[in-house]
Amino acid sequence: MVRQISATGADEKKSTAALKRKITATLQSAGSEITALSPIRELAELWYADKREEGLAPNTVERHRQILDTYILKAIGGLPVREATTGKLDRLVKEVSRRNGPGTAKLVKSVLAGMMGLATRYDALEHNPVDNVQTPKQPRPNVRALSPEQYAELRAIAVEKLRPATREERRARAGDDGRRMGGANRSGTLLDVMDFLIATGVRPAEALALTWEKVTLDAEVPFVQIDSTVVRLRGQGLIIQPRTKTGDTRLLALPEHAISMLNRRRPALIEGSRLVFTSVRGTLIDPATMRKIWRDVFRETEYSWVTQKTLRKTVATALSWAQNPGFAATQLGHTSDAMTRRFYIERSRLPHDARMVLDAFADPTLLIGSD
């Protein structure tokens, strides 16, 4: 097979040099599936195929696909691999950070690093151009947690908003149209999910994946096993996905109010469903649906700023203040307390109290162990 290669330059000397570079790049990659002249989209698809074979969690693979389609292929998919310079990739990551935030930009950089690493293994690039791409900086968030009193107020709002509607309320809501009145009952599942989240600090999607065989209420210390999450995958819909990382499975002891709630829910188990928290049909609840219900309940209240994740931060903050950040990290399922401290623990509102130690500089007899 004969491949025609051409190049242009400002003059004959530069044109010749450009042509030699193209020929060299092509020869270096001869016989490879990916060459320096291959479009980046071909490299992306090859990298993605490798990722699908690695046994990653389905939602992780889905996230890689989303990053490729939304941010990378639209911007540089048609460029040849050899034009994936550090400067171009750095500008791409910066633009994503500006438009979509540093968190998304870090994911884009991670995917690009994997793709370009694959290109170097095919000898399509001499080095990985992402090595010198600047990592977007994420500002330290202002973590807000709830006090026990605030949670009680939050829950009271939910109780009022989710109570069964009277006939008069339903008629008023339907504009006196009896055909549009609907039923009297409103789901109380959100209240029980709220109580479970504040009792455990788990992620909402982990709570919605909980099945009764993972609940142990007759032990000396009642507990739940958290090892799965609910995700939505293209072509499959909602599924329960086991967590795959080491340490993702955790056993969490239950406080009394959570035990009471679960004992109340168990007799109401819908036949054929193993789920603790279900839709009215006994099926999985979409986490996105739960988020929408949450927003509708607390919209236009003083707690409109509170999300389901706020409850996770509240648990982390309470445990950290009572014990230490490491204790909170274990409850949340973090491998270290660095993320817990940065993103989940509100800074103490109380002054740091070191008086017992510092008073010794005025009276040395106060030193521990002084004779």
Side-chain angles (χ1 to χ4, degrees):
M1 175 181 176
V2 178
R3 173 183 293 180
Q4 289 188 349
I5 300 175
S6 62
T8 59
D11 52 39
E12 183 179 353
K13 183 177 180 180
K14 291 182 179 179
S15 297
T16 302
L19 181 59
K20 287 180 178 179
R21 286 196 299 270
K22 274 194 175 183
I23 293 173
T24 299
T26 303
L27 291 175
Q28 285 178 341
S29 303
S32 298
E33 293 184 56
I34 294 297
T35 73
L37 299 179
S38 298
I40 287 176
R41 66 170 56 91
E42 290 184 9
L43 171 65
E45 296 304 332
L46 189 62
W47 174 84
Y48 180 68
D50 283 352
K51 281 295 173 184
R52 294 186 64 179
E53 297 298 321
E54 286 183 12
L56 300 174
N59 65 321
T60 301
V61 176
E62 187 86 5
R63 184 60 171 151
H64 287 328
R65 185 74 256 176
Q66 181 187 18
I67 291 294
L68 283 173
D69 293 341
T70 307
Y71 304 105
I72 296 176
L73 298 184
K74 285 184 179 180
I76 59 172
L79 290 178
V81 170
R82 66 183 178 86
E83 291 188 22
T85 62
T86 296
K88 287 180 180 177
L89 301 184
D90 189 70
R91 286 191 292 274
L92 172 59
V93 170
K94 281 187 171 64
E95 180 63 15
V96 173
S97 182
R98 185 183 69 82
R99 289 175 175 266
N100 306 96
T104 301
K106 289 183 74 172
L107 290 174
V108 169
K109 179 185 174 184
S110 176
V111 171
L112 285 171
M115 289 168 50
M116 298 308 155
L118 179 62
T120 62
R121 294 197 294 278
Y122 276 105
D123 294 323
L125 291 173
E126 292 183 2
H127 69 281
N128 193 325
V130 183
D131 289 345
N132 292 317
V133 170
Q134 188 175 23
T135 300
K137 293 183 178 180
Q138 291 183 278
R140 187 183 183 93
N142 180 27
V143 178
R144 295 179 70 182
L146 296 166
S147 67
E149 294 76 17
Q150 288 175 316
Y151 178 73
E153 293 176 359
L154 183 81
R155 194 180 186 284
I157 292 172
V159 168
E160 173 61 23
K161 292 287 187 72
L162 295 171
R163 67 175 175 80
T166 66
R167 182 178 179 82
E168 290 72 21
E169 288 171 333
R170 285 183 289 133
R171 180 172 289 278
R173 187 175 60 198
D176 283 332
D177 185 348
R179 296 170 300 178
R180 300 172 53 203
M181 285 176 58
N185 295 327
R186 297 179 183 174
S187 173
T189 300
L190 175 64
L191 290 172
D192 290 345
V193 172
M194 284 179 64
D195 288 341
F196 189 76
L197 296 181
I198 204 67
T200 59
V202 302
R203 302 169 181 89
E206 291 176 328
L208 298 178
L210 185 65
T211 54
W212 284 109
E213 58 262 32
K214 304 295 177 65
V215 179
T216 304
L217 298 179
D218 55 358
E220 182 177 352
V221 178
F223 67 93
V224 291
Q225 178 175 318
I226 303 298
D227 59 9
S228 303
T229 187
V230 173
V231 298
R232 179 179 289 280
L233 299 179
R234 280 184 286 188
Q236 298 184 51
L238 290 176
I239 66 167
I240 293 179
Q241 176 182 285
R243 291 198 169 274
T244 56
K245 292 183 180 178
T246 303
D248 269 351
T249 297
R250 56 200 194 278
L251 306 180
L252 303 179
L254 294 167
E256 286 298 326
H257 71 89
I259 296 171
S260 299
M261 179 270 292
L262 291 169
N263 275 323
R264 172 173 52 76
R265 287 192 69 86
R266 193 191 289 273
L269 176 66
I270 297 177
E271 186 176 354
S273 176
R274 302 159 42 235
L275 299 167
V276 175
F277 304 107
T278 73
S279 69
V280 294
R281 297 184 301 276
T283 57
L284 283 170
I285 298 174
D286 192 332
T289 299
M290 188 62 71
R291 288 194 296 271
K292 182 181 184 303
I293 296 173
W294 183 284
R295 289 193 299 269
D296 291 342
V297 168
F298 297 111
R299 183 182 290 117
E300 298 180 359
T301 73
E302 63 179 304
Y303 292 106
S304 58
W305 60 273
V306 176
T307 66
Q308 293 173 83
K309 193 172 184 178
T310 304
L311 302 188
R312 187 164 161 83
K313 295 175 182 178
T314 297
V315 170
T317 298
L319 296 183
S320 178
W321 290 1
Q323 296 285 335
N324 54 67
F327 189 81
T330 299
Q331 181 81 16
L332 268 58
H334 295 159
T335 54
S336 75
D337 65 10
M339 177 184 291
T340 317
R341 286 185 285 105
R342 182 175 176 83
F343 296 105
Y344 290 88
I345 297 175
E346 181 178 332
R347 292 185 179 183
S348 175
R349 304 182 185 97
L350 300 176
H352 186 69
D353 192 352
R355 291 173 296 175
M356 184 180 297
V357 174
L358 300 181
D359 276 344
F361 289 94
D363 183 357
T365 63
L366 296 176
L367 281 172
I368 297 175
S370 295
D371 295 331

